[in-house]
Amino acid sequence: MRDAYHEELDALTDKLVEMTRLVRSAISRATTALLDSDLQLAESVITRDEEVNSVFADIETTIFELMARQQPVAVDLRMVITALRMGTDLERMGDLAVHVAKVARLRHPDSAIPPELRSTILEMGQIAENLVTKAGSCVASRDVDSAMELEQDDDAMDRLHRKLFRSILAKDWQHGVEPAIDITLVGRYYERYADHAVRVAQDVVYLVTGTRPS
């Protein structure tokens, strides 16, 4: 009975890692759809978000059943609590990728991103992918040192986010209000995506050490 119980706990980790892979793919495809004005790719991001939601629903169901049947304590209780928190963050990351894809769909066949900001958005997408890839590795390995590094990695996203605002507010901005709104929203989506990845990593630290990073 205890072996089956710990197999269920291990399965939670596997499902969380699967969610990191799904939301990494989602933000990658959403970025491409945004920059290339690819309607079909944008639609695929929106449609396939159901896969992320389905895995999260499985995680929730497993956690509620474990709480009811096993009444976990100590490290096991910490595991189920952090699994629920991480799943919630990853599900939200999937939603943020969908928001990026919806901006691409809204402006199709035009691009929502002016030429001078394309490289910035591309870099934000790459950083988002790297963050969630690293977060997934931390979840799988429970590597506290790597998890602690994510907050510093997130600083690059914050710098790019500020760069977008400087561009929009510059006196030589020539693209009008609508593109400024699109870029403001997209920048926020990437920035929040990165923040959720950092929170996943912080939960790994809590799971292993019992304390949260300051």
Side-chain angles (χ1 to χ4, degrees):
M1 180 68 72
R2 298 299 296 178
D3 287 344
Y5 168 52
H6 284 100
E7 285 177 3
E8 287 182 288
L9 290 177
D10 291 341
L12 285 177
T13 298
D14 293 341
K15 288 175 182 177
L16 289 167
V17 172
E18 181 182 357
M19 285 188 76
T20 66
R21 292 173 181 152
L22 289 171
V23 300
R24 180 187 184 278
S25 173
I27 199 66
S28 174
R29 289 179 290 117
T31 301
T32 300
L34 184 67
L35 294 175
D36 294 351
S37 193
D38 188 326
L39 180 60
Q40 184 175 357
L41 194 58
E43 293 287 4
S44 78
V45 175
I46 296 165
T47 301
R48 291 182 60 185
D49 186 52
E50 184 56 38
E51 297 177 32
V52 178
N53 297 338
S54 178
V55 177
F56 181 49
D58 288 344
I59 289 172
E60 284 187 310
T61 298
T62 299
I63 288 172
F64 296 150
E65 289 178 352
L66 286 172
M67 294 288 285
R69 288 188 285 104
Q70 303 292 346
Q71 298 181 345
V73 296
V75 175
D76 291 347
L77 179 59
R78 206 153 68 223
M79 173 63 200
V80 297
I81 291 172
T82 54
L84 185 59
R85 288 172 57 93
M86 287 188 279
T88 301
D89 281 313
L90 289 164
E91 190 273 338
R92 182 57 183 152
M93 290 164 73
D95 290 343
L96 290 163
V98 167
H99 292 335
V100 173
K102 285 182 175 179
V103 172
R105 182 176 68 177
L106 179 65
R107 300 306 173 202
H108 181 270
D110 298 322
S111 174
I113 308 302
E116 66 269 26
L117 292 179
R118 290 176 61 83
S119 62
T120 302
I121 294 298
L122 176 61
E123 189 174 357
M124 293 179 86
Q126 291 169 340
I127 291 171
E129 289 183 57
N130 290 337
L131 284 168
V132 72
T133 299
K134 194 168 186 177
S137 177
C138 292
V139 171
S141 65
R142 300 189 183 181
D143 185 336
V144 171
D145 291 336
S146 292
M148 294 285 284
E149 292 172 0
L150 253 75
E151 192 160 353
Q152 289 183 329
D153 296 340
D154 178 49
D155 290 344
M157 182 71 84
D158 293 335
R159 285 193 296 271
L160 292 173
H161 190 214
R162 290 192 295 270
K163 180 180 177 181
L164 287 181
F165 276 110
R166 287 196 300 270
S167 298
I168 294 168
L169 297 174
K171 292 182 179 179
D172 59 352
W173 177 257
Q174 300 176 351
H175 303 286
V177 174
E178 192 171 83
I181 292 172
D182 288 341
I183 292 163
T184 299
L185 290 173
V186 166
R188 180 61 172 164
Y189 299 150
Y190 282 110
E191 189 264 342
R192 289 300 298 152
Y193 185 101
D195 286 347
H196 284 290
V198 170
R199 287 175 56 174
V200 170
Q202 290 174 338
D203 279 330
V204 172
V205 176
Y206 173 68
L207 173 61
V208 175
T209 68
T211 59
R212 296 193 179 279
S214 59

